[in-house]
mmCIF file with all atom_site columns, all heavy atoms in Angstrom:
data_model
loop_
_atom_site.group_PDB
_atom_site.id
_atom_site.type_symbol
_atom_site.label_atom_id
_atom_site.label_alt_id
_atom_site.label_comp_id
_atom_site.label_asym_id
_atom_site.label_entity_id
_atom_site.label_seq_id
_atom_site.pdbx_PDB_ins_code
_atom_site.Cartn_x
_atom_site.Cartn_y
_atom_site.Cartn_z
_atom_site.occupancy
_atom_site.B_iso_or_equiv
_atom_site.pdbx_formal_charge
_atom_site.auth_seq_id
_atom_site.auth_comp_id
_atom_site.auth_asym_id
_atom_site.auth_atom_id
_atom_site.pdbx_PDB_model_num
ATOM 1   N N   . MET A 1 7  ? 6.580  -2.560  -5.066  1.00 84.00 ? 7  MET A N   1
ATOM 2   C CA  . MET A 1 7  ? 7.795  -2.877  -5.875  1.00 84.00 ? 7  MET A CA  1
ATOM 3   C C   . MET A 1 7  ? 8.528  -4.069  -5.531  1.00 84.00 ? 7  MET A C   1
ATOM 4   O O   . MET A 1 7  ? 8.890  -4.802  -6.469  1.00 84.00 ? 7  MET A O   1
ATOM 5   C CB  . MET A 1 7  ? 8.788  -1.518  -5.791  1.00 84.00 ? 7  MET A CB  1
ATOM 6   C CG  . MET A 1 7  ? 9.888  -1.626  -6.795  1.00 84.00 ? 7  MET A CG  1
ATOM 7   S SD  . MET A 1 7  ? 9.412  -1.753  -8.490  1.00 84.00 ? 7  MET A SD  1
ATOM 8   C CE  . MET A 1 7  ? 8.920  -0.124  -8.745  1.00 84.00 ? 7  MET A CE  1
ATOM 9   N N   . ARG A 1 8  ? 8.534  -4.460  -4.293  1.00 81.00 ? 8  ARG A N   1
ATOM 10  C CA  . ARG A 1 8  ? 9.214  -5.628  -3.864  1.00 81.00 ? 8  ARG A CA  1
ATOM 11  C C   . ARG A 1 8  ? 8.509  -6.935  -4.436  1.00 81.00 ? 8  ARG A C   1
ATOM 12  O O   . ARG A 1 8  ? 9.246  -7.815  -5.006  1.00 81.00 ? 8  ARG A O   1
ATOM 13  C CB  . ARG A 1 8  ? 9.285  -5.716  -2.378  1.00 81.00 ? 8  ARG A CB  1
ATOM 14  C CG  . ARG A 1 8  ? 10.033 -6.897  -1.909  1.00 81.00 ? 8  ARG A CG  1
ATOM 15  C CD  . ARG A 1 8  ? 10.294 -6.825  -0.362  1.00 81.00 ? 8  ARG A CD  1
ATOM 16  N NE  . ARG A 1 8  ? 11.008 -8.068  0.002   1.00 81.00 ? 8  ARG A NE  1
ATOM 17  C CZ  . ARG A 1 8  ? 11.068 -8.506  1.343   1.00 81.00 ? 8  ARG A CZ  1
ATOM 18  N NH1 . ARG A 1 8  ? 10.256 -7.975  2.213   1.00 81.00 ? 8  ARG A NH1 1
ATOM 19  N NH2 . ARG A 1 8  ? 11.725 -9.562  1.518   1.00 81.00 ? 8  ARG A NH2 1
ATOM 20  N N   . ASP A 1 9  ? 7.205  -6.881  -4.448  1.00 80.00 ? 9  ASP A N   1
ATOM 21  C CA  . ASP A 1 9  ? 6.464  -8.070  -4.992  1.00 80.00 ? 9  ASP A CA  1
ATOM 22  C C   . ASP A 1 9  ? 6.610  -8.116  -6.427  1.00 80.00 ? 9  ASP A C   1
ATOM 23  O O   . ASP A 1 9  ? 6.751  -9.158  -7.081  1.00 80.00 ? 9  ASP A O   1
ATOM 24  C CB  . ASP A 1 9  ? 4.971  -7.909  -4.732  1.00 80.00 ? 9  ASP A CB  1
ATOM 25  C CG  . ASP A 1 9  ? 4.630  -8.222  -3.204  1.00 80.00 ? 9  ASP A CG  1
ATOM 26  O OD1 . ASP A 1 9  ? 5.516  -8.830  -2.541  1.00 80.00 ? 9  ASP A OD1 1
ATOM 27  O OD2 . ASP A 1 9  ? 3.656  -7.760  -2.641  1.00 80.00 ? 9  ASP A OD2 1
ATOM 28  N N   . LEU A 1 10 ? 6.626  -6.961  -7.195  1.00 84.00 ? 10 LEU A N   1
ATOM 29  C CA  . LEU A 1 10 ? 6.929  -6.836  -8.538  1.00 84.00 ? 10 LEU A CA  1
ATOM 30  C C   . LEU A 1 10 ? 8.171  -7.487  -8.952  1.00 84.00 ? 10 LEU A C   1
ATOM 31  O O   . LEU A 1 10 ? 8.408  -8.189  -9.830  1.00 84.00 ? 10 LEU A O   1
ATOM 32  C CB  . LEU A 1 10 ? 6.856  -5.445  -9.107  1.00 84.00 ? 10 LEU A CB  1
ATOM 33  C CG  . LEU A 1 10 ? 7.079  -5.218  -10.602 1.00 84.00 ? 10 LEU A CG  1
ATOM 34  C CD1 . LEU A 1 10 ? 6.117  -5.966  -11.494 1.00 84.00 ? 10 LEU A CD1 1
ATOM 35  C CD2 . LEU A 1 10 ? 7.102  -3.702  -10.886 1.00 84.00 ? 10 LEU A CD2 1
ATOM 36  N N   . GLN A 1 11 ? 9.397  -7.034  -8.103  1.00 88.00 ? 11 GLN A N   1
ATOM 37  C CA  . GLN A 1 11 ? 10.596 -7.593  -8.407  1.00 88.00 ? 11 GLN A CA  1
ATOM 38  C C   . GLN A 1 11 ? 10.527 -9.166  -8.162  1.00 88.00 ? 11 GLN A C   1
ATOM 39  O O   . GLN A 1 11 ? 11.312 -9.862  -8.872  1.00 88.00 ? 11 GLN A O   1
ATOM 40  C CB  . GLN A 1 11 ? 11.600 -7.020  -7.359  1.00 88.00 ? 11 GLN A CB  1
ATOM 41  C CG  . GLN A 1 11 ? 11.902 -5.480  -7.818  1.00 88.00 ? 11 GLN A CG  1
ATOM 42  C CD  . GLN A 1 11 ? 12.742 -4.807  -6.735  1.00 88.00 ? 11 GLN A CD  1
ATOM 43  O OE1 . GLN A 1 11 ? 12.682 -5.173  -5.531  1.00 88.00 ? 11 GLN A OE1 1
ATOM 44  N NE2 . GLN A 1 11 ? 13.386 -3.814  -7.164  1.00 88.00 ? 11 GLN A NE2 1
ATOM 45  N N   . THR A 1 12 ? 9.854  -9.649  -7.211  1.00 86.00 ? 12 THR A N   1
ATOM 46  C CA  . THR A 1 12 ? 9.907  -11.021 -6.932  1.00 86.00 ? 12 THR A CA  1
ATOM 47  C C   . THR A 1 12 ? 9.210  -11.715 -8.185  1.00 86.00 ? 12 THR A C   1
ATOM 48  O O   . THR A 1 12 ? 9.681  -12.818 -8.654  1.00 86.00 ? 12 THR A O   1
ATOM 49  C CB  . THR A 1 12 ? 9.112  -11.429 -5.660  1.00 86.00 ? 12 THR A CB  1
ATOM 50  O OG1 . THR A 1 12 ? 9.716  -10.842 -4.564  1.00 86.00 ? 12 THR A OG1 1
ATOM 51  C CG2 . THR A 1 12 ? 9.047  -12.924 -5.476  1.00 86.00 ? 12 THR A CG2 1
ATOM 52  N N   . ILE A 1 13 ? 8.117  -11.163 -8.608  1.00 90.00 ? 13 ILE A N   1
ATOM 53  C CA  . ILE A 1 13 ? 7.318  -11.827 -9.800  1.00 90.00 ? 13 ILE A CA  1
ATOM 54  C C   . ILE A 1 13 ? 8.233  -11.798 -11.066 1.00 90.00 ? 13 ILE A C   1
ATOM 55  O O   . ILE A 1 13 ? 8.333  -12.797 -11.723 1.00 90.00 ? 13 ILE A O   1
ATOM 56  C CB  . ILE A 1 13 ? 5.959  -11.219 -9.954  1.00 90.00 ? 13 ILE A CB  1
ATOM 57  C CG1 . ILE A 1 13 ? 5.083  -11.226 -8.802  1.00 90.00 ? 13 ILE A CG1 1
ATOM 58  C CG2 . ILE A 1 13 ? 5.381  -11.639 -11.324 1.00 90.00 ? 13 ILE A CG2 1
ATOM 59  C CD1 . ILE A 1 13 ? 4.794  -12.730 -8.334  1.00 90.00 ? 13 ILE A CD1 1
ATOM 60  N N   . MET A 1 14 ? 8.973  -10.650 -11.241 1.00 92.00 ? 14 MET A N   1
ATOM 61  C CA  . MET A 1 14 ? 9.801  -10.493 -12.468 1.00 92.00 ? 14 MET A CA  1
ATOM 62  C C   . MET A 1 14 ? 10.895 -11.465 -12.331 1.00 92.00 ? 14 MET A C   1
ATOM 63  O O   . MET A 1 14 ? 11.422 -12.088 -13.277 1.00 92.00 ? 14 MET A O   1
ATOM 64  C CB  . MET A 1 14 ? 10.260 -9.122  -12.539 1.00 92.00 ? 14 MET A CB  1
ATOM 65  C CG  . MET A 1 14 ? 9.161  -8.124  -12.872 1.00 92.00 ? 14 MET A CG  1
ATOM 66  S SD  . MET A 1 14 ? 8.072  -8.681  -14.307 1.00 92.00 ? 14 MET A SD  1
ATOM 67  C CE  . MET A 1 14 ? 9.348  -8.518  -15.702 1.00 92.00 ? 14 MET A CE  1
ATOM 68  N N   . LEU A 1 15 ? 11.479 -11.653 -11.127 1.00 92.00 ? 15 LEU A N   1
ATOM 69  C CA  . LEU A 1 15 ? 12.592 -12.617 -10.836 1.00 92.00 ? 15 LEU A CA  1
ATOM 70  C C   . LEU A 1 15 ? 12.125 -14.053 -11.274 1.00 92.00 ? 15 LEU A C   1
ATOM 71  O O   . LEU A 1 15 ? 12.785 -14.812 -11.914 1.00 92.00 ? 15 LEU A O   1
ATOM 72  C CB  . LEU A 1 15 ? 13.038 -12.528 -9.393  1.00 92.00 ? 15 LEU A CB  1
ATOM 73  C CG  . LEU A 1 15 ? 14.067 -13.636 -9.068  1.00 92.00 ? 15 LEU A CG  1
ATOM 74  C CD1 . LEU A 1 15 ? 15.431 -13.371 -9.687  1.00 92.00 ? 15 LEU A CD1 1
ATOM 75  C CD2 . LEU A 1 15 ? 14.178 -13.600 -7.446  1.00 92.00 ? 15 LEU A CD2 1
ATOM 76  N N   . LEU A 1 16 ? 10.922 -14.389 -10.843 1.00 93.00 ? 16 LEU A N   1
ATOM 77  C CA  . LEU A 1 16 ? 10.361 -15.842 -11.125 1.00 93.00 ? 16 LEU A CA  1
ATOM 78  C C   . LEU A 1 16 ? 10.136 -15.964 -12.502 1.00 93.00 ? 16 LEU A C   1
ATOM 79  O O   . LEU A 1 16 ? 10.552 -17.081 -13.100 1.00 93.00 ? 16 LEU A O   1
ATOM 80  C CB  . LEU A 1 16 ? 9.075  -15.973 -10.299 1.00 93.00 ? 16 LEU A CB  1
ATOM 81  C CG  . LEU A 1 16 ? 9.068  -16.052 -8.778  1.00 93.00 ? 16 LEU A CG  1
ATOM 82  C CD1 . LEU A 1 16 ? 7.687  -16.050 -8.194  1.00 93.00 ? 16 LEU A CD1 1
ATOM 83  C CD2 . LEU A 1 16 ? 9.876  -17.130 -8.287  1.00 93.00 ? 16 LEU A CD2 1
ATOM 84  N N   . ILE A 1 17 ? 9.611  -14.935 -13.171 1.00 94.00 ? 17 ILE A N   1
ATOM 85  C CA  . ILE A 1 17 ? 9.403  -15.112 -14.614 1.00 94.00 ? 17 ILE A CA  1
ATOM 86  C C   . ILE A 1 17 ? 10.774 -15.266 -15.378 1.00 94.00 ? 17 ILE A C   1
ATOM 87  O O   . ILE A 1 17 ? 10.855 -16.108 -16.175 1.00 94.00 ? 17 ILE A O   1
ATOM 88  C CB  . ILE A 1 17 ? 8.525  -13.926 -15.179 1.00 94.00 ? 17 ILE A CB  1
ATOM 89  C CG1 . ILE A 1 17 ? 7.161  -13.967 -14.757 1.00 94.00 ? 17 ILE A CG1 1
ATOM 90  C CG2 . ILE A 1 17 ? 8.663  -13.885 -16.670 1.00 94.00 ? 17 ILE A CG2 1
ATOM 91  C CD1 . ILE A 1 17 ? 6.271  -12.766 -14.996 1.00 94.00 ? 17 ILE A CD1 1
ATOM 92  N N   . GLY A 1 18 ? 11.725 -14.486 -14.982 1.00 95.00 ? 18 GLY A N   1
ATOM 93  C CA  . GLY A 1 18 ? 12.984 -14.721 -15.509 1.00 95.00 ? 18 GLY A CA  1
ATOM 94  C C   . GLY A 1 18 ? 13.646 -16.057 -15.331 1.00 95.00 ? 18 GLY A C   1
ATOM 95  O O   . GLY A 1 18 ? 14.204 -16.605 -16.254 1.00 95.00 ? 18 GLY A O   1
ATOM 96  N N   . GLU A 1 19 ? 13.536 -16.512 -14.109 1.00 94.00 ? 19 GLU A N   1
ATOM 97  C CA  . GLU A 1 19 ? 13.951 -17.831 -13.899 1.00 94.00 ? 19 GLU A CA  1
ATOM 98  C C   . GLU A 1 19 ? 13.199 -19.010 -14.632 1.00 94.00 ? 19 GLU A C   1
ATOM 99  O O   . GLU A 1 19 ? 13.768 -19.922 -15.184 1.00 94.00 ? 19 GLU A O   1
ATOM 100 C CB  . GLU A 1 19 ? 13.958 -18.172 -12.379 1.00 94.00 ? 19 GLU A CB  1
ATOM 101 C CG  . GLU A 1 19 ? 14.895 -17.480 -11.512 1.00 94.00 ? 19 GLU A CG  1
ATOM 102 C CD  . GLU A 1 19 ? 16.437 -17.860 -11.992 1.00 94.00 ? 19 GLU A CD  1
ATOM 103 O OE1 . GLU A 1 19 ? 16.744 -18.993 -12.071 1.00 94.00 ? 19 GLU A OE1 1
ATOM 104 O OE2 . GLU A 1 19 ? 17.200 -16.879 -12.130 1.00 94.00 ? 19 GLU A OE2 1
#
Side-chain angles (χ1 to χ4, degrees):
M7 187 57 76
R8 185 170 180 207
D9 289 340
L10 175 61
Q11 290 171 333
T12 300
I13 299 300
M14 296 307 295
L15 173 71
L16 293 174
I17 290 172
E19 285 300 311

